[in-house]
Amino acid sequence: MALHVPKPPGFSQMLKDGAKHFSGLEEAVFRNIRACKELSQTTRTAYGPNGMNKMVINHLEKLFVTNDAATILRELEVQHPAAKMIVMASHMQEQEVGDGTNFVLVFAGALLELAEELLRMGLSVSEVIDGYEKACKKALEILPDCVCSSAKNLHDLNEVTSFIRTAVMSKQYGNEDFLANLIAQACVSIYPESGNFNVDSVRVCKILGCGVTASTVLHGMVFKKEAEGDVTSVKDAKIAVFSCPFDCMVTETKGTVLINNAQELMNFSKGEEDMMEAQVKAIKEAGANVVVTGGKVADMALHYANKYKLMVVRLNTKWDLRRLCKTVGAVALPKMMAPTPDEMGHCDNVYLTEVGDTQVVVFKHEKEDGAISTVVIRGSTDNLMDDIERAVDDGVNTFKVLVRDKRLVPGAGATEIELAKQITSFGESCPGLDQYAIKKFAEAFEVFPRALAENSGVKGNELISKLYSAHHDGNKNIGFDIEGDGPAVKDVLEAGILDPYLVKHWGIRLATNAAITVLRVDQIIMARPAGGPKPPQGNKDFDDDD
Amino acid sequence: PMRPTLIILKEGSETEGGRQHLLSNLDACVAVGEAVRTTLGPCGMDKLVVDSGKKVTVSNDGATVMKCLEVVHPAARALVEIAESQDAEVGDGTTSVVLLASEMAGLVKRLVSDGVHPTSVIRACRKACAMAVSKIESTAVNIRHSSGEGGIGHELLERCASTSLNSKLISQHKDHFAKLVVKAVLTLDQESLPLKMIGIKKVAGGSVRDSSLIDGVAFKKAFSYAGFEMQPKTYKNAKIALLNIELELKSERDNAELRLGSVEDYQRVIDAEWSILYSKLEALCKARVNVVLSRLPIGDVATQYFADRDVFCAGRIPDDDMKRTLNACGGCIISTISDDHSVYGECGLFEEVQIGAQRFNVFSQCPRAKSCTFIIRGGAQHYMDETERSLHDAIMVVRRTLKNDLIVGGGGACEMEISKHLRNMSATVPGKDQLVIRAVARAFEVIPRQLSDNAGFDSINILTLLRQKHAECDHIVCGTIRNTSAPIHISIHNKDNKLLATTTTSNAGQFTLKFPINTSLVADQYSITIKPTDAAAANNNKDQSSVVFKNIVLSNLADEPPTKLTEANTTIDFKHSIDDKGKWFGIDINKVDSIVDTFDAGIWEPALVKINCIRAATEAICLVLSVDQTIKAPPSAAN
């Protein structure tokens, strides 16, 4: 059945040929809602520890296997304008707190789905928006009351592990204890007393082979590189870092070497060699025993480096070079010269080693903690390692969020049910039509325990009624027991399933904003795409709507 | 209601999802397994693969075949990747890993289609994997300990190498190659065992048995200008210069320019250019170098010069050959000629020899011999390629054994033991996990089954033989009895009061009893009766006339920590262990339809290979199971 698009004669006359125009509840609002709903249904099955993975093949035919909503959305290239809005909201969540992207999508989807019901009941769009805004404000007021725990000491490995565990659990269920411990080690070791934590300081290095449980963490950096020269291991290394090639300087201006007589010709290359030797010797004499360069390494220079027993490592990117400088405390020198003691970095151990069959150069700090730590991820497939990298990323972000705000709320649906319960009673105290919207807002929170349950093969309704009854008895921290049989519940504070406060806070805010923005749209005008619409591919079910 | 379809994604995106999708993904994995199934084991057949570039590969190496197949199915690609990962991590067992994963996929598929939720399957698979790995760790034998001395003997390593070679094309010559492989690996630097220091050169012609190992470096003679014929071909105690400079007339620098005023100057410049070259040559001769190798070309002037002075030279030597020469002979690769003698390498014997139709430069009796070279001979190129891959696998196995000296039985013995263990353990697990673990247990049997299928044996018969053998376990109960004066008589009964074992001990009261396990139960109840042997003693110690320890529960699955039992003044320090004597039994490939104790037969594999194999297969299956939707974006126009 073809879509019947009644064109108001007035409006379409004003537009160019081929422009599309939709307006009103039926055409614009419900359409948008439906698009968002479909999108959030896709990611909803990926929510929580038992969420399923999606296999996404992007336009470059690269395969992703993940349940990370941010990645799925990035690779999917969502085109629908309204659906794009909630995608943008989840991107903002990613930037703001780095975790909980799926929370935003699922919640916005649920809000819109319920808004449709309200609109069909006869409420006006503005009443729904009013109600949602009020409820959102109330939710953010209630949220601090849900806080059940707070991080005391972010330098304590065990404590941090328990907080990161929940974030990792939703990505890598089954490996969460192992991975959370790794991530916690990586974070804690580089978390300075001053309290500034940079997500970028936890590096990830993926090496194919063995299994996930063979992953390790170390203070320092790991590069998938080989040492250039003969020296492959240096203890108590003094590191000179050059951002230029390890070669004699070449003039930028094009020039010719002018030779006037035979003697000059004879001396020319000798002179060049001597100069090189002098330079390398000077570096050695300055105390350095490892040279790291950002450019290529000349054969001649390498020869002298070997002669003076310097280890030479070549790094490919400026970023790597800069990070290495940070870890070892070196200054990158722009040209070949002997470094001063201040400019040289220090590292306890620099060595070439074989992991699987990959050669890696390791810069390792033994005693004092370095500024950068590296998680070496092992795994049997690239996709798996990519997914673990994303889990590590989420874990590290969780740590960062905790640095900003140490409060934690119960996970596993406990917070959501508590919010739903309190907002419902708040809604009942509100006069006016927005009461309906507020109650629906509360109902929207039920989507989380429902998704957790359904993804685990448990009936959602049974769980939700159990949770409600527990929360009405005043047990704020009762959530879904994912390991239990059927719709089991447990105290998640005792089980250590905790989410950072900020993740929930921003998640609710951004999702509500996105939902409201989508609802506010009452007209869609689409200009004809440049180049004209593509002709339909064959006659295959062109009129078929399924 | 009929509604117009919504376009959320880009035009041309495809989505698939649901249970059906998951099942088809699992099917794809099974299909990939079918492709390599027949290559497993000593009697595995080879595959001839013609790839998209019309290149022909003949191989029975799982990783190679998988790579050549160019699998595009997104789920099945996971299996290709685990084969690669196995290759990278341990270098052998690539077919096994694919086969195990595909068998798991097949068996798990039934459970999924029966309605078990994929996440419960994943969880149980991981559990089974952990059980299997811990089982390997407990059955594996440390050969370093069993060989007594600190080092691992040649013979032991050779056994591992020949188990690996057994399943390869060159299995008839495994004794020959196993020796070579072990020798090769042992010449390497024992700290890092660098793979690159083993060169493999292929020379067409001759028979495979003519393949040899050169203790040192050998490489194909490089291109030379006229004059090399006059150079000597053999040197004793040669001094070797490894250069990174061109010994040729050439401009010193590309952008140099000469401004000359007179004809004399011009002549002088020409002389200077010659003398630059000659000064280098002279310096080399003065340092009494016999052999000059250069990464860069050596011109005909230099070749002639060296020939006149009985010096051998060769230019354009590949980088890895240079590196290996360096490691074997010492010295360093130099860019300037210096008088410092430490920069030159040495070797006991340098010679140029004819191998097949090619001439090889061979450096042997090297002082720092940490490098060696295989010369593979053989009729066809494919045959030699396959030999090279087989040697690589064997070399990797020996390397792994040296680094990690735990071994398990080959020939399916290890898999049968894991299978038995998982099946027994599954009985202790409630819920759906039980089904999954049992399915995984069955999946492990694919290895022995396929081994015997490929050999043309009756696999059902062999599997039953193996299962029965592996099920043969004994309880061993040993203990010390206190508070007895006379020799005593001990007997153990099961709960139906059937006598299982009995013994008589001396005064010391130590005893050891052995009786078979009743495998149908996880734990069994027994009673131990202790009676003094002579009546007189019985009269003196009335209370001890017959002491019975009742309802002692012994686990049929695992050893138990020592405990102390007390009954009417008498105590036993009680220790229980399980002797699964059948655990080393695997298929005897040399004899139709029979099994053999692989430990005695020397069919050994490094435990690491198996552990990695199980982990990788589990990870791959969990990955495939965890996918409920595939979304494919249209390829971008540039593609």
Side-chain angles (χ1 to χ4, degrees):
Chain A
M1 190 174 93
L3 174 65
H4 175 62
V5 185
K7 275 191 181 172
F11 203 84
S12 52
Q13 271 170 6
M14 296 191 293
L15 299 174
K16 238 188 194 168
D17 241 15
K20 285 183 214 150
H21 167 245
F22 311 96
S23 72
L25 269 187
E26 198 60 51
E27 264 181 29
V29 182
F30 289 158
R31 268 176 84 91
N32 285 344
I33 289 177
R34 207 137 39 80
C36 297
K37 222 166 70 183
E38 272 184 33
L39 185 68
S40 77
Q41 252 151 21
T42 299
T43 57
R44 198 162 118 178
T45 52
Y47 184 77
N50 277 341
M52 301 298 277
N53 283 349
K54 310 284 163 195
M55 217 175 231
V56 181
I57 300 161
N58 74 358
H59 67 111
L60 296 171
E61 306 213 320
K62 184 173 167 17
L63 176 69
F64 295 83
V65 181
T66 182
N67 62 5
D68 181 54
T71 311
I72 298 173
L73 293 176
R74 191 175 57 240
E75 301 307 330
L76 275 184
E77 300 180 56
V78 172
Q79 282 216 317
H80 193 281
K84 251 188 180 164
M85 277 188 220
I86 60 171
V87 172
M88 264 146 65
S90 96
H91 278 313
M92 273 160 76
Q93 172 86 355
E94 166 101 51
Q95 278 161 13
E96 194 66 46
V97 285
D99 193 15
T101 46
N102 208 352
F103 181 91
V104 175
L105 276 173
V106 172
F107 192 48
L111 283 176
L112 287 169
E113 195 174 340
L114 294 170
E116 187 179 351
E117 282 176 27
L118 289 170
L119 295 175
R120 289 204 193 275
M121 261 167 60
L123 255 69
S124 75
V125 173
S126 61
E127 279 157 351
V128 175
I129 291 175
D130 264 4
Y132 275 10
E133 272 174 349
K134 261 187 205 159
C136 177
K137 209 172 136 215
K138 184 73 189 169
L140 296 180
E141 274 170 26
I142 300 169
L143 196 58
D145 296 338
C146 294
V147 171
C148 63
S149 170
S150 135
K152 282 165 209 82
N153 179 9
L154 287 177
H155 290 281
D156 179 19
L157 185 65
N158 289 335
E159 198 180 337
V160 173
T161 307
S162 66
F163 297 146
I164 290 178
R165 202 169 148 261
T166 315
V168 178
M169 206 175 191
S170 71
K171 292 287 176 300
Q172 282 292 322
Y173 187 46
N175 294 327
E176 71 272 7
D177 287 320
F178 175 76
L179 286 175
N181 191 309
L182 277 190
I183 300 165
Q185 278 180 40
C187 293
V188 169
S189 71
I190 57 160
Y191 179 51
E193 294 296 333
S194 64
N196 278 324
F197 178 76
N198 186 359
V199 183
D200 208 32
S201 302
V202 177
R203 307 300 309 160
V204 165
C205 180
K206 293 175 282 185
I207 299 169
L208 188 69
C210 213
V212 178
T213 44
S215 305
T216 51
V217 65
L218 56 88
H219 305 157
M221 296 191 77
V222 178
F223 298 101
K224 281 203 247 181
K225 281 280 178 190
E226 283 184 52
E228 299 280 325
D230 297 342
V231 187
T232 53
S233 169
V234 174
K235 285 228 162 76
D236 195 18
K238 296 262 187 306
I239 304 162
V241 183
F242 297 99
S243 57
C244 62
F246 193 50
D247 197 354
C248 53
M249 297 296 285
V250 187
T251 52
E252 287 296 323
T253 325
K254 198 174 177 187
T256 20
V257 181
L258 208 58
I259 295 171
N260 284 319
N261 57 42
Q263 197 53 45
E264 282 179 30
L265 179 63
M266 299 272 280
N267 293 340
F268 178 73
S269 82
K270 187 77 186 137
E272 210 171 45
E273 283 165 13
D274 289 345
M275 217 171 83
M276 196 62 176
E277 180 162 10
Q279 277 175 340
V280 177
K281 203 172 165 195
I283 294 170
K284 178 71 186 183
E285 276 167 0
N289 45 20
V290 177
V291 169
V292 179
T293 170
K296 64 172 193 242
V297 180
D299 290 335
M300 182 92 81
L302 194 59
H303 165 67
Y304 288 113
N306 286 342
K307 186 172 169 185
Y308 290 106
K309 299 268 177 280
L310 285 168
M311 182 172 174
V312 183
V313 180
R314 180 186 167 189
L315 298 182
N316 276 356
T317 67
K318 285 237 159 84
W319 294 107
D320 280 348
L321 208 66
R322 203 179 289 176
R323 284 190 200 107
L324 181 71
C325 284
K326 207 177 140 194
T327 3
V328 300
V331 178
L333 301 170
K335 63 173 198 175
M336 277 278 282
M337 55 185 189
T340 63
D342 291 348
E343 286 165 339
M344 270 187 299
H346 177 264
C347 190
D348 294 313
N349 216 340
V350 180
Y351 57 95
L352 179 75
T353 183
E354 193 190 54
V355 181
D357 68 347
T358 316
Q359 301 282 329
V360 291
V361 175
V362 180
F363 290 80
K364 192 172 178 184
H365 288 277
E366 302 282 355
K367 288 162 253 142
E368 85 266 50
D369 295 339
I372 283 184
S373 58
T374 304
V375 181
V376 180
I377 296 177
R378 305 299 313 278
S380 50
T381 69
D382 289 330
N383 293 314
L384 186 69
M385 289 194 293
D386 288 346
D387 211 31
I388 290 168
E389 184 183 4
R390 287 187 278 270
V392 170
D393 209 43
D394 278 1
V396 174
N397 271 308
T398 306
F399 185 80
K400 189 194 164 192
V401 170
L402 286 173
V403 168
R404 275 167 54 190
D405 189 330
K406 290 185 165 35
R407 284 176 291 175
L408 291 144
V409 293
T415 308
E416 286 83 358
I417 287 295
E418 186 62 25
L419 284 173
K421 187 192 98 186
Q422 295 202 25
I423 291 172
T424 310
S425 55
F426 163 73
E428 271 156 13
S429 70
C430 289
L433 280 175
D434 49 7
Q435 188 195 84
Y436 289 100
I438 293 171
K439 279 163 86 175
K440 283 287 179 200
F441 188 91
E443 198 186 323
F445 278 114
E446 288 172 11
V447 75
F448 294 105
R450 190 185 301 275
L452 287 176
E454 279 168 5
N455 290 344
S456 319
V458 175
K459 288 211 171 68
N461 286 334
E462 281 178 36
L463 172 73
I464 287 171
S465 52
K466 265 196 171 177
L467 285 175
Y468 269 129
S469 76
H471 280 252
H472 273 292
D473 294 342
N475 302 320
K476 274 187 179 178
N477 300 330
I478 295 293
F480 177 43
D481 178 10
I482 207 150
E483 269 135 25
D485 233 356
V489 295
K490 67 176 170 191
D491 189 318
V492 290
L493 177 60
E494 278 168 23
I497 303 168
L498 301 168
D499 284 326
Y501 168 79
L502 279 186
V503 172
K504 289 276 186 270
H505 177 90
W506 282 104
I508 294 170
R509 238 166 107 164
L510 290 170
T512 314
N513 280 345
I516 288 174
T517 320
V518 171
L519 284 176
R520 279 228 168 89
V521 174
D522 75 330
Q523 275 199 353
I524 308 171
I525 305 161
M526 289 161 88
R528 195 177 66 159
K534 276 196 188 129
Q537 307 285 323
N539 285 332
K540 191 174 73 94
D541 300 332
F542 185 56
D543 264 354
D544 238 340
D545 293 320
D546 292 339
Chain B
M2 297 275 276
R3 280 172 171 176
T5 38
L6 268 170
I7 302 169
I8 301 175
L9 302 176
K10 222 171 167 179
E11 216 175 311
S13 297
E14 292 166 28
T15 60
E16 271 180 88
R19 181 145 295 182
Q20 217 48 49
H21 175 62
L22 175 57
L23 293 179
S24 86
N25 278 347
L26 289 171
D27 275 338
C29 296
V30 175
V32 170
E34 289 300 324
V36 292
R37 187 171 274 272
T38 54
T39 65
L40 183 80
C43 303
M45 306 300 268
D46 289 2
K47 300 274 168 193
L48 192 152
V49 187
V50 185
D51 65 15
S52 51
K54 294 264 186 292
K55 196 175 157 278
V56 178
T57 312
V58 180
S59 178
N60 75 359
D61 177 54
T64 312
V65 175
M66 295 293 276
K67 231 176 271 172
C68 292
L69 284 178
E70 296 177 28
V71 174
V72 289
H73 191 284
R77 269 211 312 237
L79 264 64
V80 182
E81 280 177 23
I82 55 170
E84 280 171 24
S85 135
Q86 177 85 2
D87 203 23
E89 187 67 24
V90 285
D92 195 18
T94 48
T95 310
S96 314
V97 73
V98 175
L99 207 52
L100 184 61
S102 97
E103 188 74 8
M104 275 166 77
L107 290 169
V108 149
K109 190 193 141 194
R110 286 186 213 162
L111 297 175
V112 173
S113 60
D114 283 350
V116 182
H117 198 273
T119 47
S120 359
V121 180
I122 292 175
R123 200 166 45 201
C125 275
R126 291 212 177 111
K127 217 183 258 175
C129 170
M131 286 176 188
V133 169
S134 70
K135 181 68 193 173
I136 292 187
E137 278 161 359
S138 67
T139 40
V141 168
N142 190 320
I143 53 172
R144 200 184 291 268
H145 288 313
S146 60
S147 66
E149 295 300 307
I152 303 175
H154 273 238
E155 192 205 347
L156 302 168
L157 289 172
E158 274 166 27
R159 285 190 187 176
C160 289
S162 57
T163 308
S164 166
L165 287 170
N166 227 337
S167 60
K168 305 291 188 288
L169 192 61
I170 48 175
S171 57
Q172 309 98 290
H173 313 293
K174 65 176 180 194
D175 45 343
H176 178 70
F177 281 106
K179 278 199 183 74
L180 295 187
V181 166
V182 172
K183 210 171 137 200
V185 176
L186 289 178
T187 51
L188 298 179
D189 182 23
Q190 295 300 304
E191 276 287 296
S192 57
L193 298 173
L195 188 59
K196 270 189 290 184
M197 288 303 141
I198 300 179
I200 299 185
K201 303 285 169 192
K202 292 170 279 188
V203 186
S207 88
V208 195
R209 282 202 94 90
D210 294 337
S211 302
S212 57
L213 179 77
I214 291 167
D215 187 13
V217 187
F219 47 83
K220 216 165 102 183
K221 192 183 147 23
F223 167 80
S224 297
Y225 285 100
F228 77 89
E229 312 86 351
M230 286 144 61
Q231 294 168 338
K233 303 287 182 276
T234 314
Y235 295 91
K236 283 208 168 128
N237 300 322
K239 196 167 189 186
I240 304 156
L242 304 164
L243 305 182
N244 193 19
I245 38 177
E246 261 177 84
L247 292 176
E248 215 168 358
L249 275 179
K250 62 149 205 164
S251 66
E252 279 297 319
R253 205 188 165 109
D254 295 338
N255 60 349
E257 194 180 311
L258 284 172
R259 291 270 167 85
L260 299 175
S262 66
V263 180
E264 289 77 28
D265 273 354
Y266 187 69
Q267 186 56 47
R268 259 184 240 124
V269 168
I270 292 174
D271 290 346
E273 283 188 338
W274 282 85
S275 67
I276 288 172
L277 176 61
Y278 274 118
S279 67
K280 288 177 188 164
L281 299 179
E282 261 166 37
L284 281 171
C285 287
K286 237 169 87 190
R288 302 203 177 281
V289 170
N290 309 112
V291 178
V292 178
L293 301 179
S294 177
R295 203 178 270 174
L296 297 169
I298 295 179
D300 55 353
V301 177
T303 311
Q304 197 65 52
Y305 185 94
F306 286 136
D308 290 346
R309 283 158 188 79
D310 285 350
V311 173
F312 178 89
C313 71
R316 293 208 174 105
I317 307 290
D319 208 28
D320 51 339
D321 287 334
M322 282 293 265
K323 279 242 173 79
R324 287 195 296 117
T325 316
L326 182 75
N327 271 275
C329 304
C332 58
I333 296 174
I334 49 174
S335 313
T336 48
I337 317 279
S338 75
D339 299 330
D340 180 6
H341 284 252
S342 68
V343 300
Y344 301 113
E346 284 167 349
C347 78
L349 182 68
F350 168 81
E351 51 186 345
E352 188 176 307
V353 293
Q354 184 87 23
I355 300 175
Q358 287 168 351
R359 295 195 71 79
F360 269 75
N361 297 335
V362 178
F363 300 79
S364 42
Q365 300 169 20
C366 305
R368 290 169 58 189
K370 283 178 177 171
S371 179
C372 55
T373 311
F374 277 104
I375 307 281
I376 299 178
R377 306 298 312 275
Q381 189 64 37
H382 301 311
Y383 194 85
M384 288 192 293
D385 289 348
E386 180 65 5
T387 308
E388 182 182 351
R389 283 190 285 270
S390 312
L391 286 182
H392 168 259
D393 283 9
I395 290 168
M396 288 299 279
V397 165
V398 175
R399 283 179 72 209
R400 290 300 157 201
T401 317
L402 278 173
K403 280 190 182 175
N404 182 327
D405 36 22
L406 291 175
I407 55 140
V408 292
C414 170
E415 283 81 5
M416 284 310 289
E417 188 61 20
I418 294 171
S419 177
K420 180 201 89 180
H421 179 66
L422 288 183
R423 208 175 309 117
N424 288 344
M425 289 303 275
S426 73
T428 65
V429 180
K432 292 167 191 162
D433 289 8
Q434 188 185 61
L435 297 174
V436 180
I437 294 173
R438 195 162 285 175
V440 175
R442 273 197 60 166
F444 275 100
E445 286 183 352
V446 73
I447 305 285
R449 183 171 350 114
Q450 198 60 42
L451 280 174
S452 56
D453 272 347
N454 288 352
F457 297 165
D458 181 353
S459 59
I460 298 174
N461 192 6
I462 286 199
L463 274 187
T464 47
L465 275 175
L466 282 176
R467 274 197 210 118
Q468 182 255 336
K469 203 76 198 173
H470 279 262
E472 273 178 18
C473 292
D474 284 342
H475 283 298
I476 296 179
V477 173
C478 51
T480 316
I481 302 176
R482 302 230 165 84
N483 281 351
T484 51
S485 48
I488 42 163
H489 184 79
I490 301 151
S491 54
I492 294 186
H493 294 81
N494 69 4
K495 63 179 179 215
D496 303 330
N497 225 8
K498 194 179 146 205
L499 180 68
L500 294 168
T502 174
T503 183
T504 308
T505 73
S506 63
N507 274 3
Q510 280 184 355
F511 68 96
T512 305
L513 284 169
K514 204 171 182 183
F515 57 98
I517 278 177
N518 175 8
T519 40
S520 62
L521 292 166
V522 175
D524 260 343
Q525 279 186 3
Y526 299 95
S527 56
I528 300 180
T529 318
I530 300 173
K531 275 185 194 155
T533 34
D534 55 5
N539 291 336
N540 290 343
N541 296 314
K542 273 207 170 105
D543 53 336
Q544 276 186 31
S545 60
S546 170
V547 180
V548 181
F549 296 96
K550 273 216 162 121
N551 300 338
I552 297 163
V553 180
L554 297 182
S555 161
N556 284 334
L557 296 178
D559 300 354
E560 281 159 38
T563 46
K564 188 174 235 173
L565 302 173
T566 316
E567 182 87 35
N569 268 348
T570 307
T571 57
I572 310 184
D573 283 317
F574 181 80
K575 225 175 108 201
H576 164 248
S577 57
I578 289 174
D579 174 28
D580 30 8
K581 55 191 177 184
K583 67 181 172 186
W584 288 89
F585 274 82
I587 297 167
D588 185 0
I589 218 76
N590 301 317
K591 226 163 109 198
V592 175
D593 288 0
S594 65
I595 58 175
V596 67
D597 187 320
T598 52
F599 187 81
D600 293 342
I603 306 167
W604 298 349
E605 288 183 67
L608 195 68
V609 173
K610 293 290 171 207
I611 292 177
N612 199 65
C613 173
I614 295 168
R615 287 214 175 113
T618 314
E619 277 177 14
I621 289 307
C622 290
L623 192 75
V624 173
L625 278 171
S626 71
V627 172
D628 77 332
Q629 208 173 24
T630 301
I631 305 164
K632 197 172 173 185
S636 60
N639 207 324

